[in-house]
Amino acid sequence: MAASNPGMDEDVFAQFLDQLDRYVRERLLPAEPDVIANDKVPDDILEEMKEMGLFGLTVPEEHGGAGLNTSQYAQVVYTMAYAAPAFRSIFSINVGMFNSALKNGGTPEQQAEWWPRIAGGEIACFGLTEPGSGSDSAAMQTTAKPDPDGNGWTLNGTKRYITNAPHADVALIMARTEKEALPKNAHVSAFLVPMDTPGVSTGSPDKKMGQAGAHIADVMLDDVHVPGDALLGGETGKGFRFAMMSLDNGRISVGAASAGYARRALDSALKYATERKAFGEPIANFQLIQQMLAESETEIYAAECMMRDVTARVDRGENTIRQAAAFKVFASEMCGRVMDRVVQIYGGAGYLAEYDAERFFRDARIYRIYEGTTQILQLQIAKHMLRDFQANV
């Protein structure tokens, strides 16, 4: 079991979270129409978020970050997720998967170089998925070949659906360093690749169903040369393990975002139900409307409890592969159900773009897909259940 992480002083963190909640409601919510109209987070808000330290929440204090533990980080994500998803998306890769991989697998020299940079606001992206592979690492086509002089590597390949790619400063790229798939995915290694390295390019941002302002794009690697110290951890064959460890953190982030956005949608439905009248009274008085409100409240509360449990386990140093997957599955599926009820409560207005319910519905759909689809995670949960059962027989 790993050492526990106490995180930021709880009183200081409570004050920070209170300030963040006010910032979300007073600054970010009014900016949502701008984000939607221009499909980007406004530059002034992006700078404010950097100054607030949101890009370095989980970076150790001695390297310029806030040093939050996982429980505190998840609470920040939950709070930020009350606003449009783009605000969380822009910093989540930094403080989630990228920093987790750097913490778990980086050398002291790599940590000393990259932690201050991402804490200062440099934006990271995470390059695992490819046109022909996602969870199936054996099908990965991106290669990293050692230079003849042994001083570096040359990367070639394409990564797909990469969050933040259009404006990222650095990418953590997973690449095949062995031709054949070795046991425990040891054919995959991880590389820290500055996005301005010659040969790195990105495609145009993909047009998506929802989540305006949060950008994804392809990352193309064409004879990209990186020095030897770009290899995460300084060893080949460990990249996939670092990626999977960091995906647990990413799944917790998506679960927290799902719960936070579901809370936003339910609050919107409550307001609408008390204002909209039918048959001479607010529709909130109708029992079947109350049923949908109550079911949504119950499920959000369950997700919030799961979040507190799994993050506390992480901070105690427990292995949480199964719990992180279960939380992400439940929270993302729950969010979809809540959004569907919210549209139904809005009635015909819920189908119109001028009302928030339609946007909530589209935005939430991705939560059940990225960082591991529900189906892939169900397979993972069952695999670990069976493995644990057989180990104890």
Side-chain angles (χ1 to χ4, degrees):
M1 182 180 290
S4 61
N5 182 3
M8 181 184 288
D9 176 84
E10 284 299 329
D11 290 337
V12 175
F13 177 69
Q15 294 175 11
F16 169 75
L17 202 62
D18 182 64
Q19 293 171 352
L20 183 65
D21 184 65
R22 290 200 303 272
Y23 180 75
V24 167
R25 294 169 189 269
E26 297 172 7
R27 181 74 167 113
L28 300 188
L29 296 191
E32 288 180 342
D34 188 351
V35 172
I36 295 167
N38 297 301
D39 191 27
K40 65 172 293 188
V41 175
D43 291 339
D44 55 344
I45 288 182
L46 183 60
E47 289 306 311
E48 290 169 5
M49 291 170 62
K50 290 179 179 181
E51 291 173 8
M52 292 170 67
L54 294 180
F55 285 77
L57 291 171
T58 54
V59 172
E61 291 184 71
E62 59 268 27
H63 290 280
L68 300 191
N69 60 27
T70 304
S71 298
Q72 294 168 338
Y73 161 57
Q75 291 178 68
V76 170
V77 169
Y78 176 89
T79 301
M80 286 291 293
Y82 197 84
F87 297 117
R88 177 202 71 95
S89 179
I90 195 71
F91 74 88
S92 65
I93 304 299
N94 272 41
V95 296
M97 293 189 296
F98 186 88
N99 185 55
S100 179
L102 193 60
K103 177 183 176 182
N104 293 322
T107 64
E109 293 77 16
Q110 290 168 337
Q111 293 169 348
E113 177 183 359
W114 287 105
W115 268 339
R117 294 175 65 172
I118 64 172
E122 291 196 24
I123 298 172
C125 64
F126 191 86
L128 175 61
T129 302
E130 297 186 358
S133 70
S135 301
D136 178 15
S137 70
M140 184 177 292
Q141 296 298 310
T142 298
T143 60
K145 296 183 178 179
D147 293 341
D149 60 9
N151 292 326
W153 299 82
T154 299
L155 280 63
N156 283 281
T158 299
K159 298 296 181 178
R160 176 147 293 174
Y161 308 137
I162 306 304
T163 299
N164 288 342
H167 35 253
D169 299 295
V170 61
L172 186 65
I173 298 292
M174 305 298 147
R176 180 185 291 269
T177 47
E178 298 288 344
K179 184 175 181 181
E180 300 299 326
L182 300 173
K184 297 183 179 180
N185 298 294
H187 62 293
V188 180
S189 302
F191 295 85
L192 293 156
V193 182
M195 293 293 283
D196 60 0
T197 304
V200 177
S201 61
T202 59
S204 300
D206 294 304
K207 295 182 179 179
K208 313 184 305 302
M209 178 187 294
Q211 303 226 349
H215 298 148
I216 62 173
D218 287 1
V219 175
M220 284 75 75
L221 306 157
D222 184 13
D223 287 335
V224 176
H225 180 266
V226 294
D229 59 9
L231 176 64
L232 187 69
E235 290 185 57
T236 61
K238 293 187 176 181
F240 193 77
R241 181 169 68 87
F242 295 145
M244 292 302 99
M245 292 171 68
S246 61
L247 280 177
D248 286 345
N249 189 291
R251 288 161 185 166
I252 289 171
S253 177
V254 173
S258 299
Y261 208 41
R263 176 62 68 189
R264 164 75 181 285
L266 181 56
D267 284 350
S268 173
L270 276 166
K271 184 175 186 295
Y272 185 83
T274 56
E275 295 175 349
R276 173 74 166 91
K277 290 185 177 181
F279 307 103
E281 60 181 311
I283 64 173
N285 291 348
F286 302 152
Q287 288 184 338
L288 292 180
I289 297 292
Q290 292 175 3
Q291 179 188 26
M292 288 188 283
L293 293 172
E295 286 178 341
S296 298
E297 172 66 23
T298 300
E299 290 198 277
I300 293 171
Y301 176 56
E304 291 169 345
C305 291
M306 291 180 75
M307 182 180 79
R308 286 191 287 270
D309 176 73
V310 68
T311 56
R313 290 173 180 268
V314 173
D315 289 333
R316 290 196 298 267
E318 297 180 20
N319 184 324
T320 58
I321 290 177
R322 198 166 85 185
Q323 289 85 357
F327 171 49
K328 196 268 187 182
V329 167
F330 179 82
S332 62
E333 294 286 342
M334 173 278 294
C335 187
R337 291 189 293 270
V338 169
M339 298 306 180
D340 189 69
R341 294 187 196 111
V342 169
V343 170
Q344 197 71 10
I345 290 168
Y346 270 76
Y351 202 69
L352 302 182
E354 67 179 283
Y355 292 89
D356 287 338
E358 181 266 352
R359 168 169 61 97
F360 295 153
F361 188 85
R362 289 184 292 104
D363 285 345
R365 190 59 184 86
I366 189 62
Y367 291 141
R368 293 149 64 187
I369 297 173
Y370 64 8
E371 314 306 351
T373 66
T374 291
Q375 290 69 36
I376 283 291
L377 295 183
Q378 286 172 331
L379 291 175
Q380 185 182 73
I381 293 165
K383 180 181 73 174
H384 285 278
M385 289 172 64
L386 293 168
R387 181 182 298 171
D388 293 344
F389 173 78
Q390 292 165 355
N392 293 315
V393 170

